Amino acid sequence: MPKSALTGSRIREHRLMRGLKQADLARDIGISASYLNLIEHNRRRIGGKTLLALSEALKIDPSTLSQGAERAVVTELQDAAASDADVPVELDQIDDLVARFPGWAAKVTAQHRRLRALEQTVGGLNDRLTHDPVLSERMHEVLSTVSAIRSTAAILVGTPDLGTEWQARFYSNIDTESRRLADSSAAMAAHLDNLSRKDTSTATPLEVVFSAFDARGHHLRELEVGGDPEALAAQMSEIDSTAARTLAAEYFRTYSADAKAMPLEAFEPAAHEMKFDPAALAARFGVPLEAVFRRLASLPRGATVPDIGLVSCDAAGALLVRKSPSGLALPWFGAGCPLWPLYAALSAPGVPIRRVIEGEDGARFTAMALAHPSGPLRFDRPPVYHSIMLLIAQDDTSGEAAIPVGSSCRICARSDCDARREPTVLTHG
């Protein structure tokens, strides 16, 4: 069963829970009862205005009806399958597993996250052992001292007729080097113990920061009312390392600046008035287009606010910001789909690009992308660009031609893609 098909079953379930008749609900949202019947029996896709109208009539958040929450679980299961392609699994039944056995799906994804965290920890420890200057120095001292003691002892054993005076000198050298070995070993042990007591985060600082963003729906109420970005970064318990707090403070300062330039009480009604058009909003508030992208993605979700996603990358294509909309999963590692307008924008910095894209589940989005300088322009060095892409959910019935895209090549089942860079581990269900 396609993942998006589960939406119809949820609509039926919530309608029955509220004791509503199919004909009455259809009349309330302005569609025919036969069309609603097709939706509930998963024979018609649903999105955009129809989904928002149904969620409002049922008094429930649109994301509860859509596949947003389950999409993340499906993506993690696909990642788990991709991590060990030699073990055969029923890839075409992942969606059914999530729908029918959510507990088992959650258990598998939790174990995958644990394994991924352990791999990251091992990689970090290996890197630390290789590049830690203090540890390298202590190890060098230990090995040098051991070599000196061994050489002195070899002379004593190999020269039985050595004079008493020279024997005393060599014994004194062994005593001195032994004491130095003990001191070096104690210093190395203390350094290792100190490292073991420090934060050994199971995720990169960037992942920690955006996990905190995700938990709050990318809407930070504290900063909307003028809160201090550094104080907020220090207060969040999940941001528990110095590197993550530094990175969080940087992102929070940008959020705070956007909130001051486009106050929520003025920006939200303007966004509705201008039909969420970023260019019109940029002109209204006198701010750069990329700032409007970020601000739209930070709007609190509601029945009248469309599903909005945001993704950005650096000039190397590495993803920096991820806010997944329902129907288009964003990868945790590596780059995304080469067909995303996000990457096309890097070839024409400063030129806004608009495309309609369609995910593998049939969800359609208006994708708007722009490459912009990530810092001040200077004459003594070339500019460094970041690319940012806003995704706004589109009604399936718009009729506009769409570009088929995926999440990333490894977990994309499209077989006729000219942009594929590596084989997929998935098959069509």
Side-chain angles (χ1 to χ4, degrees):
M1 180 186 295
K3 182 70 189 76
S4 57
L6 298 173
T7 303
S9 301
R10 294 192 198 95
I11 292 170
R12 177 179 173 82
E13 178 185 352
H14 285 284
R15 177 179 63 78
L16 294 175
M17 286 171 57
R18 285 159 178 76
L20 294 174
K21 294 182 179 180
Q22 198 174 67
D24 293 338
L25 179 59
R27 184 179 59 254
D28 290 343
I29 65 172
I31 63 174
S32 67
S34 59
Y35 186 63
L36 179 57
N37 184 63
L38 291 173
I39 290 174
E40 290 190 351
H41 286 83
N42 305 311
R43 295 177 183 174
R44 289 291 185 275
R45 295 187 181 279
I46 180 174
K49 296 177 182 178
T50 305
L51 179 63
L52 291 173
L54 279 166
S55 65
E56 191 170 317
L58 294 171
K59 296 180 174 56
I60 194 169
D61 192 271
S63 60
T64 304
L65 298 178
S66 68
Q67 65 272 40
E70 292 172 352
R71 181 72 257 176
V73 178
V74 170
T75 302
E76 285 204 68
L77 288 173
Q78 291 172 339
D79 286 342
S83 65
D84 192 357
D86 294 333
V87 179
V89 294
E90 296 79 7
L91 294 166
D92 57 337
Q93 298 183 36
I94 288 180
D95 297 333
D96 194 41
L97 170 66
V98 175
R100 297 178 58 193
F101 306 104
W104 278 108
K107 184 69 174 178
V108 173
T109 55
Q111 290 178 338
H112 175 58
R113 285 195 297 271
R114 176 62 177 164
L115 289 173
R116 189 174 64 193
L118 291 174
E119 289 173 353
Q120 291 175 340
T121 301
V122 170
L125 291 174
N126 180 65
D127 184 68
R128 178 170 285 166
L129 289 172
T130 305
H131 301 292
D132 188 332
V134 176
L135 189 59
S136 297
E137 180 183 351
R138 300 302 182 199
M139 184 64 72
H140 177 72
E141 289 179 1
V142 169
L143 294 177
S144 299
T145 307
V146 169
S147 297
I149 294 174
R150 181 178 179 182
S151 298
T152 304
I155 293 173
L156 285 172
V157 172
T159 314
D161 56 347
L162 195 64
T164 304
E165 182 180 350
W166 281 102
Q167 286 184 5
R169 289 184 179 181
F170 282 121
Y171 286 136
S172 176
N173 287 343
I174 290 176
D175 179 67
T176 301
E177 295 297 332
S178 297
R179 292 176 185 275
R180 191 158 73 95
L181 176 62
D183 292 340
S184 298
S185 300
M188 185 167 67
H191 179 65
L192 291 172
D193 182 63
N194 184 48
L195 291 179
S196 69
R197 296 174 187 274
K198 289 183 179 179
D199 171 70
T200 54
S201 179
T202 58
T204 66
L206 191 63
E207 288 174 347
V208 170
V209 171
F210 278 95
S211 290
F213 263 115
D214 287 338
R216 290 161 176 77
H218 288 248
H219 180 74
L220 304 177
R221 294 185 180 87
E222 299 90 338
L223 301 183
E224 296 289 346
V225 295
D228 180 60
E230 283 76 11
L232 179 61
Q235 291 167 6
M236 287 187 175
S237 58
E238 61 267 48
I239 302 177
D240 56 358
S241 71
T242 301
R245 279 191 291 271
T246 301
L247 193 61
E250 179 182 341
Y251 278 101
F252 292 173
R253 282 192 292 271
T254 300
Y255 187 107
S256 182
D258 292 341
K260 288 178 181 177
M262 295 166 278
L264 185 62
E265 59 273 13
F267 184 80
E268 188 168 13
H272 284 88
E273 176 190 340
M274 298 180 176
K275 303 185 186 304
F276 300 90
D277 181 349
L281 289 166
R284 165 75 67 88
F285 289 92
V287 296
L289 197 56
E290 62 270 18
V292 177
F293 283 8
R294 294 191 297 264
R295 197 66 179 128
L296 284 170
S298 73
L299 286 175
R301 187 71 188 276
T304 59
V305 176
D307 195 358
I308 297 176
L310 185 74
V311 58
S312 75
C313 71
D314 60 18
L319 299 186
L320 303 175
V321 175
R322 301 176 185 85
K323 183 192 178 189
S324 296
S326 300
L328 185 65
L330 303 179
W332 284 98
F333 300 104
C337 174
L339 298 178
W340 287 353
L342 175 76
Y343 299 118
L346 286 170
S347 64
V351 179
I353 296 176
R354 179 188 179 280
R355 302 282 188 274
V356 176
I357 62 174
E358 182 176 278
E360 291 182 86
D361 287 342
R364 294 162 63 95
F365 303 90
T366 299
M368 291 162 279
L370 174 73
H372 61 93
S374 63
L377 298 176
R378 300 175 55 172
F379 288 103
D380 58 341
R381 64 186 64 176
V384 177
Y385 287 97
H386 283 180
S387 184
I388 187 168
M389 180 172 68
L390 185 74
L391 299 162
I392 300 182
Q394 190 183 81
D395 197 316
D396 291 346
T397 61
S398 66
E400 192 171 354
I403 301 171
V405 302
S407 172
S408 65
C409 291
R410 190 67 171 160
I411 54 173
C412 175
R414 296 190 187 277
S415 59
D416 57 348
C417 181
D418 295 332
R420 179 170 294 283
R421 60 178 172 265
E422 63 176 328
T424 181
V425 298
L426 302 183
T427 58
H428 284 288

